[in-house]
Amino acid sequence: MKVGVVIFPGSNCDQDAVYAFQNQFGCETLTLWHKDNDLQGCDLIFLPGGFSYGDYLRSGAIARFSPIMQHVIEFASKGGVVFGVCNGFQILCESHLLPGALLHNAHQKFNCKNVFISAQTSNSAITSTIIPGTALKIPIAHGEGKYYCDDPTLASLKANDQILFRYCDEQGNITDEANPNGSLENIAGICNEKRNVFGMMPHPERAVDADLYNTDGRLLFESLLSMAVSR
Amino acid sequence: MTKQVSSKQLATVEQAQQLGLRPEEFDKIKEILGRTPNFTELSVYSVMWSEHCSYKNSIVWLKTLPREGKNMLAKAGEENAGLIDIGDGLACAFKIESHNHPSALEPYQGAATGVGGINRDIFSMGARPIAQLNSLRFGDIKNERTKWLVRGVVKGIGNYGNAFGIPTVGGEVYFDDCYQINPLVNAMSVGIAKVGKTVSAIAEGIGNAVYIYGSSTGKDGIHGAAFASKDITEDSAKDLPSVQVGDPFWEKLILEATMELIETGGVVGMQDMGAAGITCSTSEMSAKSGTGMKVWLDKVPMRQADMKDWEILLSESQERMLVIVKKGFEKQFEQIFQKWDLTYAQIGEVTDTGRVQYYMNNELVANIPGESLVLGGGAPVYHREYTEPKYFAEIAQFNINQIKDCDLISAIAIAKRLAAHPNIASKRWVYNQYDSMVGTINQTTNAPSDAGVVKVKGTDKSIAMTTDCNSRYVHANPFVGGMIAVSEAARNLVCSGAEPAAVTNCLNFGNPYNTEVYYQFVHAIKGMGEACKKFDTPVTGGNVSFYNQSSDNDAVFPTPTIGMVGLIRGGKKHMTLDFKEAGDVIYLIGSSRNDIASSQYLVAEHGVNLSPAPYFNLDEEYQVQQVTAKLIEKNLLCSAHDCSEGGLFINLLESAMVRNLGFDIHKTNANLRNDAYLFGEAQGRIVVSLNPSNANAVESLLSEAGVAFEKLGAITSGEIAVNGQQFGDTTDYAGIYNTSLENQLN
């Protein structure tokens, strides 16, 4: 699988994603510059975390207008797989590739720590090998990660099985205390209706290297890669 | 309206004094130039000869610090930051710097620009920053202004560092009344460069182009702008912001562009624009190479119209770099600037005149021998007087026998209060606001240790790093306190399984013209030097921050913050601080002592502010560290954690809390006071835990080394007990320890 990691000015998790895909999972990985007009034949587009264009407006609000994003949007509309983490998730929401929005954390502070999330469905390219309900330890690092959408959108997310991850405690219980940012119904990650665009606030790429003593994030990557193989 | 004074008019001694220069310094300038300087030239001298740039009151003593070591690639002061060889063709660049005064006025921007400045120092050497630490000191946490400062500083560091994308992996936070008016904000950055691909701050090659890139230049942060504008036009003062404003987004773009510039091979030299802006970078770079520089100030991209020549020269607008370009690379450089959408301009060229010559609209406005401006050149050097502080007499009166010991029942309540003490309680309210995991190299997130440990990707090495200074000890005894600061840093690295390599320091003191303050400075340096020699950790650089006081009599505690880096080689795992399993045995390496001097316990529980530094012996400390390193090397230990603030009890609690385990210990020496045993802060002590099957091996190694040790007891599944007295469960303390700070700051 050929992976393209998009670099916006202000992206800062791009090299972490490259390291994960390339060094940890052996994928051919290249970087795509925000001013580029070509996805270079990538099978998977990854939008990394960071502060694209400084994120002085709403996070991700400027990035959606960059040249590369027009191609990413077109790629996604044709069924191409797009995965956004943190700022990448924010950009996907701003681009309307995913429903809803990411608001300022309920406590109004940037927050970086390990949290637990549990998969809500196995029916997606990033959760296909994960047993729903199992708590995975994955770090978060964001100031604007409170997922919000209106009631009809929430209803359709549920009806279409689009909620991929919810924040939970170490035992897998979905509780208010386990919700680190005030996200609606503890939502940590979702996909689109066509199930080819994925977004989540926690950083699975920060939990793949055994040298850092937490590899829970490998499951998402292994799922992605197994889908690619079975295709 | 005040009379308009042209910057070309000849300067007066009164102006010199208003700019912070002394009359004899004004005379020296006249002698150097062979004429009276104009106002612009005087401005240039005033910033270059300021304490901040010239180190005029500290350099004599800084030079006494050990500066040579086996892995050093650059001597102290030779480059923007220290540089050591870590093998695999890689070098580690690191430095700590203060941003105290800006943070006292405007905590958010003050702290943010501190982070920006220290990272520029690292990447302007060609090293990509990989990790950051910070050392913060504030007044009484209950005070509303303190809370405002803490919130602002933490948010400033967080927002800048998080967006810049470098993990914060360690640091310290202290609260003490001495920092009430004048908080300390020290930021450290650590970077990695390829050996042979580092960049120096030099200006060689006559005719080479001088480029400025990054942000445009505005009137922000002009040193002493208030005084200067009074002499020029009173009204202009109103539009000068006094504190610089940082933009981490620009810094990130500059970092990436800088890395690409260096990769081309076309960089001759480079320096960031820090204190004294264009003045400092142009004069230091040309002086270092013995060249000169012509600078066309009107070519500098400006943020606002009608800036005066001296304003352009002195502006401290953030996120700006100066680069000397090898002939033929200009076009390639401009393409890189354009790729990253950076503002840039050629503003000058290297000359052979030995002078920095600043032009404004083709008119020469300042013409100065570069050498005369800089440290090691013409900048003044002073030997200051010092006298022993009077408060030493009161310290000498301290008698432990006048302090009532606690029984084990009352020790429970004391332990809980100490666990909640802001100097001891968890700092998670602070560090959770910092991205500690970006870069995917932080190895201590899931395996905590006494120092921050990061993986060097592509090698089998890790770098451990720490910042340390218990300033109360330094205040009590500057010489011993200076030694302890270095020793504690080394101890933290050793407990993490690393070999200490080198030091950077940030020397925060009061007014150097106060002879008692200067005594503290001199003796702290002597202490640091002794300890650095012992641990073979040369001082690679850092910075000095004087004038940390609000009036003559209330200088901050002398605070020589030590930043130390060390290496873990050969793919070895780092040593962690957490207890692993109930049943493991616990040992103290070093001796329990009847000592409560300068402990948090003595200050918080007995209100005794003046007492000697805690017990310390440099040779013993060294032995304890050496043997601990050996035990780790032989894989005999399950955990290692150094004994510091809060003493033995807090040390054990910190190791127990990570996995919700407990401990059962026994004080065997009946002559030892309970409070000294549990809460005393005698130095040179490390607590280790090990599988009982390794006890014999460990004991014989310790005996062989001739190091004092005692078996404390064993790890339990969660209960805490001392000499049979039940102290409750670890979870009781963990709740207090974890939430104390956030309860007070949220």
Side-chain angles (χ1 to χ4, degrees):
Chain A
M1 184 161 69
K2 192 170 168 185
V3 180
V5 176
V6 178
I7 302 181
F8 299 99
S11 293
N12 62 29
C13 303
D14 46 308
Q15 293 310 314
D16 301 353
V18 170
Y19 185 79
F21 278 111
Q22 195 168 275
N23 298 53
Q24 296 287 323
F25 296 99
C27 297
E28 182 188 355
T29 309
L30 42 93
T31 55
L32 303 169
W33 183 236
H34 70 117
K35 293 177 186 172
D36 287 353
N37 277 297
D38 182 1
L39 300 184
Q40 300 184 43
C42 288
D43 307 303
L44 165 70
I45 301 298
F46 186 89
L47 304 186
F51 292 73
S52 52
Y53 302 89
D55 275 347
Y56 289 114
L57 189 53
R58 286 186 319 277
S59 294
I62 306 289
R64 66 174 279 215
F65 295 109
S66 65
I68 195 82
M69 276 311 292
Q70 309 321 306
H71 297 274
V72 172
I73 291 167
E74 192 190 327
F75 176 74
S77 71
K78 290 179 183 161
V81 179
V82 180
F83 185 12
V85 163
C86 200
N87 194 220
F89 185 17
Q90 294 162 341
I91 294 166
L92 289 172
C93 288
E94 287 287 338
S95 306
H96 306 299
L97 287 174
L98 289 173
L102 282 314
L103 311 180
H104 278 280
N105 294 346
H107 48 74
Q108 299 291 316
K109 284 198 289 289
F110 186 95
N111 196 5
C112 173
K113 63 181 183 183
N114 279 323
V115 299
F116 292 91
I117 58 173
S118 67
Q120 304 297 298
T121 175
S122 296
N123 181 21
S124 85
I126 61 172
T127 60
S128 66
T129 58
I130 305 175
I131 301 162
T134 317
L136 304 179
K137 183 163 81 174
I138 309 286
I140 54 165
H142 59 248
E144 297 175 31
K146 177 183 170 183
Y147 183 76
Y148 177 78
C149 64
D150 59 19
D151 290 342
T153 308
L154 181 63
S156 84
L157 282 176
K158 287 178 178 172
N160 298 316
D161 197 22
Q162 286 171 250
I163 300 173
L164 302 185
F165 292 105
R166 282 195 162 98
Y167 298 106
C168 63
D169 65 18
E170 199 167 351
Q171 285 73 42
N173 306 306
I174 295 160
T175 64
D176 284 349
E177 294 71 41
N179 187 341
N181 51 28
S183 285
L184 184 67
E185 295 200 359
N186 285 41
I187 292 172
I190 58 171
C191 66
N192 63 345
E193 211 176 320
K194 280 163 52 189
R195 313 192 87 73
N196 63 317
V197 179
F198 311 95
M200 62 192 293
M201 286 314 295
H203 286 270
E205 83 282 7
R206 295 186 179 187
V208 294
D209 184 349
D211 286 348
L212 308 189
Y213 308 100
N214 175 17
T215 55
D216 284 6
R218 291 189 76 90
L219 287 170
L220 284 83
F221 287 86
E222 283 159 4
S223 172
L224 254 183
L225 300 181
S226 71
M227 295 291 279
V229 169
S230 64
R231 213 173 253 187
Chain B
M1 185 122 171
T2 325
K3 190 177 142 231
Q4 194 99 9
V5 177
S6 161
S7 57
K8 281 171 292 173
Q9 271 189 10
L10 295 186
T12 64
V13 67
E14 289 76 24
Q15 284 173 333
Q17 282 177 286
Q18 281 164 332
L19 287 164
L21 291 168
R22 294 137 59 94
E24 60 269 32
E25 289 173 342
F26 185 64
D27 290 339
K28 194 173 171 191
I29 293 167
K30 287 198 286 193
E31 194 187 309
I32 288 166
L33 294 177
R35 59 181 166 81
T36 303
N38 63 36
F39 182 78
T40 300
E41 290 167 333
L42 183 68
S43 301
V44 167
Y45 274 103
S46 76
V47 290
M48 290 306 294
W49 286 9
S50 70
E51 189 65 45
H52 196 90
C53 293
S54 75
Y55 293 90
K56 59 188 171 191
N57 288 312
S58 57
I59 189 65
V60 172
W61 288 100
L62 295 178
K63 282 187 166 170
T64 67
L65 289 167
R67 297 189 290 172
E68 316 242 351
K70 47 185 185 287
N71 299 316
M72 301 273 282
L73 292 172
K75 274 192 212 167
E78 214 172 69
E79 299 289 353
N80 279 329
L83 198 62
I84 55 167
D85 193 335
I86 60 168
D88 294 308
L90 297 177
C92 174
F94 60 100
K95 189 181 180 186
I96 190 167
E97 207 166 67
S98 64
H99 233 218
N100 304 336
H101 295 122
S103 303
L105 294 175
E106 213 295 64
Y108 178 86
Q109 290 296 348
T113 51
V115 172
I118 192 63
N119 280 302
R120 280 195 302 283
D121 272 343
I122 299 301
F123 71 72
S124 62
M125 292 179 70
R128 177 177 282 277
I130 60 163
Q132 315 182 87
L133 306 95
N134 52 70
S135 170
L136 312 176
R137 287 150 212 271
F138 302 99
D140 178 6
I141 194 173
K142 293 194 169 61
N143 179 290
E144 284 306 314
R145 183 170 180 276
T146 302
K147 292 181 197 214
W148 170 74
L149 285 170
V150 177
R151 290 181 191 123
V153 165
V154 171
K155 205 177 178 75
I157 291 173
N159 283 9
Y160 203 101
N162 298 343
F164 185 52
I166 307 303
T168 301
V169 304
E172 46 180 358
V173 187
Y174 281 94
F175 297 90
D176 193 287
D177 289 347
C178 74
Y179 302 111
Q180 191 61 48
I181 304 294
N182 201 320
L184 301 184
V185 174
N186 295 175
M188 174 166 165
S189 178
V190 179
I192 295 286
K194 290 180 196 148
V195 175
K197 284 227 165 182
T198 54
V199 175
S200 296
I202 51 170
E204 287 173 354
I206 310 308
N208 276 337
V210 179
Y211 276 75
I212 189 171
Y213 68 97
S215 291
S216 44
T217 297
K219 292 189 184 181
D220 41 342
I222 295 175
H223 250 279
F227 74 76
S229 42
K230 215 180 217 166
D231 272 2
I232 295 188
T233 78
E234 231 153 30
D235 297 330
S236 60
K238 290 173 190 147
D239 41 41
L240 300 180
S242 58
V243 177
Q244 312 92 308
V245 175
D247 182 346
F249 174 59
W250 273 100
E251 178 111 335
K252 170 72 174 161
L253 303 185
I254 293 170
L255 162 68
E256 298 302 336
T258 301
M259 293 294 127
E260 290 186 13
L261 294 179
I262 293 167
E263 210 49 48
T264 65
V267 174
V268 173
M270 184 181 275
Q271 187 165 336
D272 79 301
M273 236 74 76
I278 293 174
T279 302
C280 186
S281 51
T282 52
S283 57
E284 285 189 352
M285 289 175 82
S286 52
K288 193 172 266 180
S289 301
T291 54
M293 210 181 275
K294 256 186 196 169
V295 180
W296 310 300
L297 296 172
D298 47 291
K299 296 268 201 291
V300 173
M302 276 169 269
R303 199 175 290 163
Q304 53 213 109
D306 301 326
M307 282 182 71
K308 304 269 191 304
D309 50 45
W310 59 270
E311 290 177 325
I312 301 167
L313 277 167
L314 269 53
S315 163
E316 294 188 2
S317 290
Q318 297 291 293
E319 290 93 24
R320 297 179 303 158
M321 302 284 288
L322 196 79
V323 61
I324 316 298
V325 186
K326 206 176 273 180
K327 271 209 185 74
F329 282 87
E330 297 85 351
K331 191 137 203 176
Q332 210 176 335
F333 273 40
E334 294 192 3
Q335 281 164 355
I336 291 171
F337 298 140
Q338 285 158 15
K339 174 187 170 186
W340 291 98
D341 297 315
L342 296 173
T343 307
Y344 67 92
Q346 185 186 345
I347 61 163
E349 63 181 32
V350 179
T351 65
D352 61 0
T353 59
R355 305 180 82 85
V356 278
Q357 295 166 306
Y358 302 110
Y359 290 83
M360 189 80 177
N361 302 318
N362 293 322
E363 190 186 348
L364 184 63
V365 293
N367 184 1
I368 301 171
E371 177 80 5
S372 72
L373 291 168
V374 301
L375 167 69
V381 172
Y382 298 125
H383 292 259
R384 298 250 75 84
E385 277 175 41
Y386 51 90
T387 52
E388 188 179 285
K390 289 178 196 68
Y391 67 82
F392 278 16
E394 202 175 327
I395 284 178
Q397 310 261 307
F398 176 78
N399 178 354
I400 189 172
N401 297 322
Q402 288 170 359
I403 307 289
K404 192 173 173 294
D405 189 14
C406 63
D407 57 35
L408 288 179
I409 303 268
S410 56
I412 298 171
I414 294 170
K416 287 184 177 168
R417 285 195 293 271
L418 284 178
H421 193 288
N423 286 351
I424 289 171
S426 166
K427 307 300 184 292
R428 75 176 185 188
W429 183 90
V430 173
Y431 65 71
N432 280 353
Q433 295 187 58
Y434 306 148
D435 193 336
S436 55
M437 302 186 226
V438 62
T440 58
I441 56 169
N442 187 346
Q443 298 183 285
T444 45
T445 307
N446 302 299
S449 64
D450 278 3
V453 180
V454 300
K455 163 180 172 165
V456 184
K457 283 179 179 171
T459 74
D460 62 355
K461 294 188 178 76
S462 298
I463 300 177
M465 53 194 79
T466 182
T467 61
D468 289 288
C469 178
N470 185 314
S471 58
R472 177 171 291 283
Y473 303 167
V474 187
H475 181 253
N477 186 328
F479 180 70
V480 171
M483 286 198 286
I484 292 176
V486 173
S487 301
E488 186 182 356
R491 205 187 305 139
N492 282 329
L493 295 185
V494 166
C495 286
S496 307
E499 185 190 342
V503 161
T504 175
N505 57 20
C506 191
L507 309 176
N508 309 274
F509 288 80
N511 185 338
Y513 291 84
N514 175 323
T515 55
E516 295 193 359
V517 165
Y518 208 69
Y519 180 98
Q520 295 172 335
F521 178 74
V522 168
H523 289 81
I525 291 211
K526 286 182 175 174
M528 277 186 284
E530 283 291 309
C532 285
K533 273 182 215 138
K534 188 81 191 177
F535 295 107
D536 193 16
T537 51
V539 178
T540 61
N543 101 312
V544 179
S545 172
F546 282 132
Y547 305 101
N548 291 293
Q549 57 187 62
S550 52
S551 76
D552 266 359
N553 296 318
D554 55 0
V556 298
F557 281 167
T559 313
T561 309
I562 300 296
M564 196 184 278
V565 295
L567 281 179
I568 300 171
R569 300 167 204 265
K572 280 204 155 293
K573 290 185 169 181
H574 69 276
M575 178 44 64
T576 50
L577 66 81
D578 52 318
F579 289 155
K580 302 298 183 299
E581 215 175 331
D584 282 357
V585 287
I586 312 170
Y587 281 80
L588 175 70
I589 306 179
S591 302
S592 290
R593 298 198 178 260
N594 252 335
D595 180 24
I596 54 171
S598 281
S599 63
Q600 287 296 328
Y601 159 78
L602 183 63
V603 178
E605 294 290 323
H606 295 281
V608 177
N609 257 308
L610 289 173
S611 63
Y615 174 85
F616 176 78
N617 178 301
L618 185 58
D619 292 325
E620 283 176 25
E621 172 81 50
Y622 182 73
Q623 296 298 333
V624 164
Q625 293 189 21
Q626 289 292 104
V627 76
T628 303
K630 202 164 178 186
L631 294 171
I632 293 170
E633 173 75 28
K634 292 188 176 298
N635 290 319
L636 292 169
L637 304 183
C638 295
S639 71
H641 184 25
D642 94 302
C643 224
S644 57
E645 285 85 7
L648 181 67
F649 188 90
I650 295 297
N651 167 298
L652 294 164
L653 184 65
E654 286 169 345
S655 293
M657 283 187 294
V658 181
R659 293 169 194 255
N660 281 329
L661 295 166
F663 51 90
D664 182 2
I665 58 168
H666 289 269
K667 174 165 80 80
T668 48
N669 179 352
N671 295 327
L672 206 57
R673 293 167 59 115
N674 289 321
D675 58 1
Y677 177 68
L678 292 172
F679 310 121
E681 297 180 14
Q683 297 295 295
R685 295 184 299 156
I686 293 171
V687 174
V688 299
S689 72
L690 42 125
N691 188 293
S693 65
N694 286 328
N696 285 340
V698 168
E699 288 197 17
S700 61
L701 254 171
L702 288 167
S703 305
E704 252 171 61
V707 172
F709 68 94
E710 62 189 83
K711 186 177 173 182
L712 294 170
I715 298 173
T716 71
S717 59
E719 321 78 55
I720 298 174
V722 180
N723 282 16
Q725 170 66 49
Q726 296 300 314
F727 269 57
D729 282 349
T730 294
T731 47
D732 304 337
Y733 296 84
I736 298 169
Y737 177 89
N738 285 327
T739 56
S740 169
L741 219 55
E742 55 208 50
N743 286 343
Q744 302 195 67
L745 290 169
N746 264 345

